[in-house]
């Protein structure tokens, strides 16, 4: 269709193209075309490095549109080997990836990912506030809810709103919710373990066939009998069972 060749007169190259920009019609539509950019590596051949197709999608280091469904405007790689994207910032600066739905104010960063190179901290922001809702610090500890607890190791969850506990109502504003399908025998809880491999579990167990009838159990590994056992159960009627499960 049309092209621009870039050639060198350096001895040995012989005036052959070392780079090229070309336009080519796509299919039978005379107005649908793609634009390709080619470069020549040392000792190799002229290779396509980037393509802009008729829809405006950009493919780098590949010719295929890996997002034909329209979810992406950019494809990196060709489906073979590793591919990646580098954001190169200063050692005391911040690298960001912004998700915008407008051109002013918080709409320019309605959601974002940021890495602070000076503190080696990775943050996730939502809702156009500019602040973090989740942070992974340089020690690998995770803080969620917009608050970083410098005195805590592991996982910190924080809620900025008040919600009073009610003994006779469903308290739906807890910081952490564990959810499993509502089937007899299913359980949701937390397992505690260490490098030795022994474990302790505490959580809810759907005890019977009736929906919403659950017991709260404490179960773990008994090092004296070398077996797992249930140590205590708080059943759906409010009874505390120790050493038995019914």
């Amino acid at each position: 269709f049309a092209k621009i060749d870039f050639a060198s007169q350096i001895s040995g190259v012989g005036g052959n193209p070392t780079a090229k920009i070309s336009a080519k019609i796509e299919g039978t539509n005379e107005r649908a075309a793609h634009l390709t950019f080619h470069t020549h590596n040392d000792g190799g051949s002229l290779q396509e490095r980037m393509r802009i197709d008729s829809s405006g999608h950009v493919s780098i280091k590949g010719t295929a549109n890996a997002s034909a469904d329209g979810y992406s405007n950019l494809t990196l790689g060709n489906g073979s080997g590793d591919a990646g994207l580098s954001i190169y910032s200063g050692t005391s600066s911040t690298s960001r990836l912004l998700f915008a739905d407008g051109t002013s104010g918080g709409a320019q960063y309605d959601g974002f990912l940021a890495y602070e190179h000076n503190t080696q901290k990775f943050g996730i922001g939502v809702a156009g506030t500019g602040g973090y809702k989740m942070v992974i610090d340089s020690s690998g500890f995770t803080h969620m809810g917009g608050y970083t607890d410098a005195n805590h190791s592991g996982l910190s969850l924080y809620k900025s709103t008040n919600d009073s506990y009610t003994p006779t109502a469903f308290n739906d504003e807890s910081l952490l919710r564990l959810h499993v399908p509502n089937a007899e025998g299913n359980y949701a809880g937390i397992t505690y373990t260490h490098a030795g491999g022994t474990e302790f579990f505490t959580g809810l167990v759907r005890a019977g066939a009736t929906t919403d009838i659950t017991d709260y159990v404490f179960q773990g590994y008994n090092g004296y009998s070398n077996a797992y056992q249930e140590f205590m159960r708080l059943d759906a009627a409010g009874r505390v069972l120790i050493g038995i499960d019914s």
Side-chain angles (χ1 to χ4, degrees), residues 75-108:
T75 297
L76 302 177
N78 57 13
S80 176
D82 297 336
L85 173 67
S86 296
I87 301 176
Y88 189 16
S89 301
T91 56
S92 60
S93 302
T94 300
S95 299
R96 296 181 179 87
L97 181 61
L98 308 180
F99 305 95
D101 55 13
T103 57
S104 64
Q108 298 174 97

Side-chain angles (χ1 to χ4, degrees), residues 120-136:
Q120 296 181 314
K121 177 171 65 179
F122 182 80
I124 300 176
V126 297
T129 63
Y132 298 139
K133 296 300 183 183
M134 177 176 172
V135 170
I136 303 175

Side-chain angles (χ1 to χ4, degrees), residues 131-182:
Y132 298 139
K133 296 300 183 183
M134 177 176 172
V135 170
I136 303 175
D137 65 24
S138 60
S139 298
F141 302 140
T142 303
H143 312 267
M144 300 178 67
Y147 173 74
T148 301
D149 185 355
N151 299 313
H152 179 72
S153 301
L155 175 65
S156 297
L157 304 177
Y158 174 73
K159 184 176 68 173
S160 60
T161 58
N162 295 321
D163 186 63
S164 297
Y165 166 74
T166 305
T168 57
F170 178 52
N171 296 276
D172 60 351
E173 294 294 329
S174 57
L175 284 176
L176 179 64
R177 180 177 296 183
L178 306 178
H179 183 84
V180 295
N182 190 9

Side-chain angles (χ1 to χ4, degrees), residues 107-118:
Q108 298 174 97
Y109 45 85
D110 196 48
F112 68 89
L113 306 177
Y115 184 79
E116 297 182 7
H117 293 269
N118 58 331

Side-chain angles (χ1 to χ4, degrees), residues 25-106:
I25 293 175
E26 296 180 350
T28 59
N29 188 339
E30 294 181 356
R31 297 189 178 184
H34 62 252
L35 193 65
T36 60
F37 298 79
H38 306 249
T39 61
H40 197 298
N41 59 349
D42 188 15
S45 59
L46 201 63
Q47 300 288 332
E48 181 178 324
R49 307 302 185 186
M50 186 174 75
R51 173 179 297 213
I52 305 174
D53 67 17
S54 59
S55 69
H57 183 276
V58 178
S59 298
I60 298 178
K61 204 177 180 181
T63 62
N65 181 347
S67 182
D69 51 17
Y71 289 151
S72 170
N73 298 316
L74 173 66
T75 297
L76 302 177
N78 57 13
S80 176
D82 297 336
L85 173 67
S86 296
I87 301 176
Y88 189 16
S89 301
T91 56
S92 60
S93 302
T94 300
S95 299
R96 296 181 179 87
L97 181 61
L98 308 180
F99 305 95
D101 55 13
T103 57
S104 64

Side-chain angles (χ1 to χ4, degrees), residues 1-4 20-24 34-38 48:
F1 180 58
K3 66 176 181 176
I4 302 174
K20 179 177 70 174
I21 301 174
S22 63
K24 185 177 180 180
H34 62 252
L35 193 65
T36 60
F37 298 79
H38 306 249
E48 181 178 324

